[in-house]
Amino acid sequence: MSQNKIIKIVVVMAIVLLGASGASALIWHWRSQPTIDMRKALETNDIVPLIIVGSGPAALSAGLYGARAKIKTVVIAGNERGGALTKTSYIENWPGRTKILGTDLMNDLQEQVQQFGVEIINDSVVKVDFNVWPFELTTENGKTLRALTVIIATGSTPRTLGIPGEKEYWGKGVTTCAVCDAPFHKDKEVIVIGGGDSAIEEAVQLASYAKKVTILVRGASMRAAASMQDRLHEYPSIEVKFNSQVRSVIGDGSQVTGAEVFDSKSDTLSTMPVSGVFLAIGHDPNSKLFKKFLKIDAEGTIAMSDRTQATSLKGIFAAGDVTDHRYRQAGVAAGDGIKAALDAVAFLQEHGFSTNIAAQLEKRYVSGVPEERAEIPLMKTVAEIKDIIDAAQGLVVIDFYAPHCPSCMRMLPAVEAVAHQFADQVAFLKVDTSISPEIAQEYHVPTIPCMLVFNEKQLVARYNQSMSRKQLEEFILKLLKDS
Ligand code: NDP
């Protein structure tokens, strides 16, 4: 009998005996569960007892508990280091703190876990193999790490609308990060799309700069918490328009100039002249990498087993927004992370992990060598930049950033590393737009992070999005090839 036939018979028998849900659990288990034998852990280098993928509150709280259990814990931070909280402003619902900036909270958490000895790697997981044990994780920079147990805390990604003009003007007025771009809309009119807590957060951020902020809600009411909606009364420049859907984003080729808005109540289409379109329409869980190996539900979240943080695969745990389409609160994510770490520690103990094995793995762990970085000169005037561009023999790359822009700050170490790598061929400069806004104005930079590249005094490239170390390296290599 062929293997396929045997599989079909087993599936039919399982459904008959266990019912549909029991059978599906059994099939998941049987399909990909590798054998766990602690002796195998001592055969190869670079095996870490606990690897955590992600760097938001779920990931770092898990890290804290892993390290406190005296288990070597490595966090692979990903390209959105610090997670979604670094893109909000003040948080007023973190237990024990009346008010704290999202970035401050994440910096405090990071400092705390590092004090306990957690290693944080600035790299992103691009591939996993959970059919083998120790589990294998490959990073964007080409490193392969093996883990006895893994906690997935990859969070979620802001949704986009898929309407005409959205892609074309992304980073040129269309964005999801008011914290980053609000200062570029000083005395201008902007719209925020969405009716949840995030839409209110974004609008409040923008209200300090923009002349007028209109929140466009597609339905007849907002779903944001009542306490958040109350905040709007303090901002006369914020208006909420219901039954309003953006149909397209309009621009002049280089920047957003307006949006076409459909009013479903009056059945009319009108154009709003705005300089910014801020999306706050919810998030999708970052579970794609794992769908081959784990049970994922219809919303894309990783399915949890009972009240634990166990996934459908033994040894793999998950926590935070990637598992949660219901609560989606930083405090809940942190609690999930703690539970996931306790589950992971129990898993290791059940499978014979000991201090002796821990010591042997530690000896065979070849930790990442810290990357060399260049000191990038900070430009303060347009004249200074012009002199350098005029005198340059090769490429000049200018990184526009600001300390209040989390994705810019995450990108800075990668820029410094690439600047070191190409020190002989490319001159890197940086501009802090919060201290030199006139430079951003001179070079028409409407959003940060932004990179401008000059060759022989001419602007040859402009890049308006956050880049990983690898993407940046490829970007520079291509420019060098074309120059
Ligand atoms: P939500 O899922 O809560 O809200 C998304 C909003 O976008 C809804 O109003 C939805 O409309 C609207 N929307 C979805 N798709 C479209 C579309 N295609 N066109 C127009 N509008 C659309 O997401 P949030 O990011 O606001 O919040 C996520 C979670 O994070 C929540 O649990 C929230 O409480 C939490 N959060 C908490 C904060 C705080 O406490 N300070 C701050 C920010 C977020 P509809 O209502 O019609 O479905």
Side-chain angles (χ1 to χ4, degrees), residues 88-102:
T88 65
S89 53
Y90 283 101
I91 295 163
E92 293 171 348
N93 53 6
W94 182 262
R97 299 296 299 259
T98 40
K99 201 173 179 183
I100 182 166
L101 270 176

PDB file of all heavy atoms in Angstrom, residues 88-102:
ATOM      1  N   THR A  88       3.746  54.520  19.615  1.00  0.00           N
ATOM      2  CA  THR A  88       2.697  55.315  20.253  1.00  0.00           C
ATOM      3  C   THR A  88       3.383  56.408  21.072  1.00  0.00           C
ATOM      4  O   THR A  88       4.604  56.394  21.224  1.00  0.00           O
ATOM      5  CB  THR A  88       1.827  54.487  21.222  1.00  0.00           C
ATOM      6  OG1 THR A  88       2.642  54.066  22.297  1.00  0.00           O
ATOM      7  CG2 THR A  88       1.206  53.291  20.547  1.00  0.00           C
ATOM      8  N   SER A  89       2.592  57.291  21.615  1.00  0.00           N
ATOM      9  CA  SER A  89       3.209  58.337  22.444  1.00  0.00           C
ATOM     10  C   SER A  89       3.122  57.891  23.903  1.00  0.00           C
ATOM     11  O   SER A  89       3.781  56.939  24.308  1.00  0.00           O
ATOM     12  CB  SER A  89       2.500  59.658  22.216  1.00  0.00           C
ATOM     13  OG  SER A  89       1.109  59.505  22.412  1.00  0.00           O
ATOM     14  N   TYR A  90       2.226  58.544  24.677  1.00  0.00           N
ATOM     15  CA  TYR A  90       2.131  58.201  26.095  1.00  0.00           C
ATOM     16  C   TYR A  90       1.209  57.011  26.311  1.00  0.00           C
ATOM     17  O   TYR A  90       0.185  56.874  25.655  1.00  0.00           O
ATOM     18  CB  TYR A  90       1.621  59.394  26.898  1.00  0.00           C
ATOM     19  CG  TYR A  90       2.703  60.427  27.109  1.00  0.00           C
ATOM     20  CD1 TYR A  90       2.749  61.567  26.329  1.00  0.00           C
ATOM     21  CD2 TYR A  90       3.694  60.221  28.053  1.00  0.00           C
ATOM     22  CE1 TYR A  90       3.754  62.502  26.511  1.00  0.00           C
ATOM     23  CE2 TYR A  90       4.707  61.143  28.236  1.00  0.00           C
ATOM     24  CZ  TYR A  90       4.729  62.278  27.467  1.00  0.00           C
ATOM     25  OH  TYR A  90       5.741  63.178  27.646  1.00  0.00           O
ATOM     26  N   ILE A  91       1.566  56.170  27.271  1.00  0.00           N
ATOM     27  CA  ILE A  91       0.721  55.043  27.651  1.00  0.00           C
ATOM     28  C   ILE A  91       0.218  55.328  29.060  1.00  0.00           C
ATOM     29  O   ILE A  91       1.007  55.683  29.939  1.00  0.00           O
ATOM     30  CB  ILE A  91       1.564  53.751  27.637  1.00  0.00           C
ATOM     31  CG1 ILE A  91       2.010  53.480  26.200  1.00  0.00           C
ATOM     32  CG2 ILE A  91       0.801  52.553  28.176  1.00  0.00           C
ATOM     33  CD1 ILE A  91       3.131  52.529  26.124  1.00  0.00           C
ATOM     34  N   GLU A  92      -1.089  55.202  29.216  1.00  0.00           N
ATOM     35  CA  GLU A  92      -1.672  55.535  30.531  1.00  0.00           C
ATOM     36  C   GLU A  92      -2.292  54.319  31.190  1.00  0.00           C
ATOM     37  O   GLU A  92      -2.959  54.430  32.209  1.00  0.00           O
ATOM     38  CB  GLU A  92      -2.727  56.642  30.350  1.00  0.00           C
ATOM     39  CG  GLU A  92      -2.110  57.961  29.915  1.00  0.00           C
ATOM     40  CD  GLU A  92      -3.138  59.000  29.526  1.00  0.00           C
ATOM     41  OE1 GLU A  92      -4.320  58.653  29.374  1.00  0.00           O
ATOM     42  OE2 GLU A  92      -2.748  60.170  29.370  1.00  0.00           O
ATOM     43  N   ASN A  93      -2.113  53.139  30.549  1.00  0.00           N
ATOM     44  CA  ASN A  93      -2.738  51.941  31.119  1.00  0.00           C
ATOM     45  C   ASN A  93      -1.725  50.826  31.399  1.00  0.00           C
ATOM     46  O   ASN A  93      -2.076  49.660  31.412  1.00  0.00           O
ATOM     47  CB  ASN A  93      -3.878  51.434  30.211  1.00  0.00           C
ATOM     48  CG  ASN A  93      -3.427  51.244  28.780  1.00  0.00           C
ATOM     49  OD1 ASN A  93      -2.246  51.378  28.485  1.00  0.00           O
ATOM     50  ND2 ASN A  93      -4.354  50.928  27.900  1.00  0.00           N
ATOM     51  N   TRP A  94      -0.476  51.222  31.620  1.00  0.00           N
ATOM     52  CA  TRP A  94       0.521  50.233  32.055  1.00  0.00           C
ATOM     53  C   TRP A  94       0.448  50.194  33.582  1.00  0.00           C
ATOM     54  O   TRP A  94       0.669  51.217  34.228  1.00  0.00           O
ATOM     55  CB  TRP A  94       1.922  50.628  31.574  1.00  0.00           C
ATOM     56  CG  TRP A  94       2.975  49.633  31.937  1.00  0.00           C
ATOM     57  CD1 TRP A  94       3.815  49.692  32.990  1.00  0.00           C
ATOM     58  CD2 TRP A  94       3.269  48.426  31.247  1.00  0.00           C
ATOM     59  NE1 TRP A  94       4.637  48.598  33.019  1.00  0.00           N
ATOM     60  CE2 TRP A  94       4.322  47.797  31.957  1.00  0.00           C
ATOM     61  CE3 TRP A  94       2.764  47.794  30.116  1.00  0.00           C
ATOM     62  CZ2 TRP A  94       4.875  46.576  31.556  1.00  0.00           C
ATOM     63  CZ3 TRP A  94       3.312  46.576  29.720  1.00  0.00           C
ATOM     64  CH2 TRP A  94       4.354  45.993  30.443  1.00  0.00           C
ATOM     65  N   PRO A  95       0.113  49.046  34.172  1.00  0.00           N
ATOM     66  CA  PRO A  95      -0.087  49.029  35.629  1.00  0.00           C
ATOM     67  C   PRO A  95       1.100  49.622  36.386  1.00  0.00           C
ATOM     68  O   PRO A  95       2.254  49.276  36.117  1.00  0.00           O
ATOM     69  CB  PRO A  95      -0.248  47.539  35.942  1.00  0.00           C
ATOM     70  CG  PRO A  95      -0.733  46.945  34.663  1.00  0.00           C
ATOM     71  CD  PRO A  95      -0.097  47.730  33.567  1.00  0.00           C
ATOM     72  N   GLY A  96       0.770  50.502  37.309  1.00  0.00           N
ATOM     73  CA  GLY A  96       1.823  51.068  38.167  1.00  0.00           C
ATOM     74  C   GLY A  96       2.405  52.361  37.640  1.00  0.00           C
ATOM     75  O   GLY A  96       3.181  53.008  38.338  1.00  0.00           O
ATOM     76  N   ARG A  97       2.075  52.762  36.412  1.00  0.00           N
ATOM     77  CA  ARG A  97       2.602  54.018  35.867  1.00  0.00           C
ATOM     78  C   ARG A  97       1.426  54.876  35.407  1.00  0.00           C
ATOM     79  O   ARG A  97       0.610  54.395  34.609  1.00  0.00           O
ATOM     80  CB  ARG A  97       3.516  53.769  34.651  1.00  0.00           C
ATOM     81  CG  ARG A  97       4.736  52.941  34.932  1.00  0.00           C
ATOM     82  CD  ARG A  97       5.688  53.596  35.905  1.00  0.00           C
ATOM     83  NE  ARG A  97       6.223  54.857  35.455  1.00  0.00           N
ATOM     84  CZ  ARG A  97       7.446  55.004  34.945  1.00  0.00           C
ATOM     85  NH1 ARG A  97       8.240  53.964  34.826  1.00  0.00           N
ATOM     86  NH2 ARG A  97       7.880  56.186  34.578  1.00  0.00           N
ATOM     87  N   THR A  98       1.325  56.092  35.929  1.00  0.00           N
ATOM     88  CA  THR A  98       0.194  56.925  35.492  1.00  0.00           C
ATOM     89  C   THR A  98       0.376  57.336  34.040  1.00  0.00           C
ATOM     90  O   THR A  98      -0.589  57.421  33.289  1.00  0.00           O
ATOM     91  CB  THR A  98       0.052  58.182  36.370  1.00  0.00           C
ATOM     92  OG1 THR A  98       1.343  58.665  36.641  1.00  0.00           O
ATOM     93  CG2 THR A  98      -0.685  57.897  37.656  1.00  0.00           C
ATOM     94  N   LYS A  99       1.605  57.570  33.640  1.00  0.00           N
ATOM     95  CA  LYS A  99       1.868  58.010  32.275  1.00  0.00           C
ATOM     96  C   LYS A  99       3.316  57.698  31.931  1.00  0.00           C
ATOM     97  O   LYS A  99       4.217  58.061  32.688  1.00  0.00           O
ATOM     98  CB  LYS A  99       1.635  59.528  32.208  1.00  0.00           C
ATOM     99  CG  LYS A  99       1.375  60.055  30.840  1.00  0.00           C
ATOM    100  CD  LYS A  99       0.990  61.527  30.937  1.00  0.00           C
ATOM    101  CE  LYS A  99       0.749  62.059  29.545  1.00  0.00           C
ATOM    102  NZ  LYS A  99       0.444  63.466  29.508  1.00  0.00           N
ATOM    103  N   ILE A 100       3.528  57.017  30.824  1.00  0.00           N
ATOM    104  CA  ILE A 100       4.912  56.762  30.411  1.00  0.00           C
ATOM    105  C   ILE A 100       4.970  56.699  28.888  1.00  0.00           C
ATOM    106  O   ILE A 100       4.054  56.173  28.240  1.00  0.00           O
ATOM    107  CB  ILE A 100       5.471  55.466  31.063  1.00  0.00           C
ATOM    108  CG1 ILE A 100       6.939  55.245  30.650  1.00  0.00           C
ATOM    109  CG2 ILE A 100       4.629  54.235  30.753  1.00  0.00           C
ATOM    110  CD1 ILE A 100       7.690  54.217  31.460  1.00  0.00           C
ATOM    111  N   LEU A 101       6.046  57.237  28.329  1.00  0.00           N
ATOM    112  CA  LEU A 101       6.214  57.176  26.881  1.00  0.00           C
ATOM    113  C   LEU A 101       6.481  55.730  26.461  1.00  0.00           C
ATOM    114  O   LEU A 101       7.243  55.017  27.139  1.00  0.00           O
ATOM    115  CB  LEU A 101       7.423  58.014  26.464  1.00  0.00           C
ATOM    116  CG  LEU A 101       7.195  59.483  26.130  1.00  0.00           C
ATOM    117  CD1 LEU A 101       8.526  60.157  25.841  1.00  0.00           C
ATOM    118  CD2 LEU A 101       6.257  59.640  24.936  1.00  0.00           C
ATOM    119  N   GLY A 102       5.871  55.299  25.349  1.00  0.00           N
ATOM    120  CA  GLY A 102       6.070  53.932  24.864  1.00  0.00           C
ATOM    121  C   GLY A 102       7.544  53.585  24.698  1.00  0.00           C
ATOM    122  O   GLY A 102       8.000  52.523  25.114  1.00  0.00           O
TER     123      GLY A 102
END
